[in-house]
Amino acid sequence: MSSEPISLSKALASFDALWSPRIVTRVNDYDVRVAKVEGEHVWHVHDDTDEFFLVLDGELHILLREPAGERTVVLPRGAVFTVPRGTEHKPYAPSGAAILMFEPTGTPTVGDRHGEIPDHVDSTTGHALDV
């Protein structure tokens, strides 16, 4: 990790792949990841950790399957939301978005339980940032 400040706009400009997060820094045992997203991700669950989202640009929707039923959370630019551990969810961005996520190092982007992974979704624990 860098000992210098990191520009999130430069970090995002350094790659084009969608649903393929880059690790910009670490805080204790947590990765701070940025990603470009568009279209749908995959329904998935993180059994042992919450998942934090901050929308840097665009708008992110997160479908949630909760005991009371399904609902959609809409996050405009600047909004944050935490998906509680054990909650099945599916992020999607109809018009594209840039997001920042905060989760334990080694957490897979497709969770611990998921459906079929489409070709446009990168199943990873985050990629190193090349800036």
Side-chain angles (χ1 to χ4, degrees):
M1 292 295 108
S2 174
S3 62
E4 297 297 321
I6 297 167
S7 163
L8 293 180
S9 60
K10 285 183 182 177
L12 286 161
S14 73
F15 65 97
D16 291 321
L18 297 175
W19 300 109
S20 184
R22 300 305 191 261
I23 300 167
V24 293
T25 193
R26 288 201 169 93
V27 179
N28 298 315
D29 297 330
Y30 283 77
D31 289 343
V32 179
R33 303 173 184 176
V34 293
K36 294 177 181 179
V37 299
E38 188 171 357
E40 296 186 356
H41 195 267
V42 62
W43 280 105
H44 67 283
V45 176
H46 299 281
D47 290 324
D48 300 316
T49 186
D50 300 335
E51 187 171 14
F52 172 87
F53 293 90
L54 163 64
V55 178
L56 302 170
D57 194 28
E59 184 175 88
L60 181 70
H61 299 209
I62 304 175
L63 290 163
L64 301 167
R65 289 184 176 150
E66 301 172 312
E70 278 189 21
R71 72 178 174 119
T72 301
V73 175
V74 178
L75 304 172
R77 181 177 183 226
V80 300
F81 183 75
T82 300
V83 176
R85 72 189 70 200
T87 302
E88 192 174 12
H89 60 287
K90 179 169 103 170
Y92 70 97
S95 301
I99 61 174
L100 181 142
M101 295 161 292
F102 189 76
E103 50 197 350
T105 298
T107 300
T109 56
V110 294
D112 304 311
R113 292 180 280 130
H114 52 77
E116 187 173 329
I117 301 169
D119 290 341
H120 71 279
V121 172
D122 185 8
S123 177
T124 181
T125 55
H127 298 283
L129 184 64
D130 296 323
V131 286

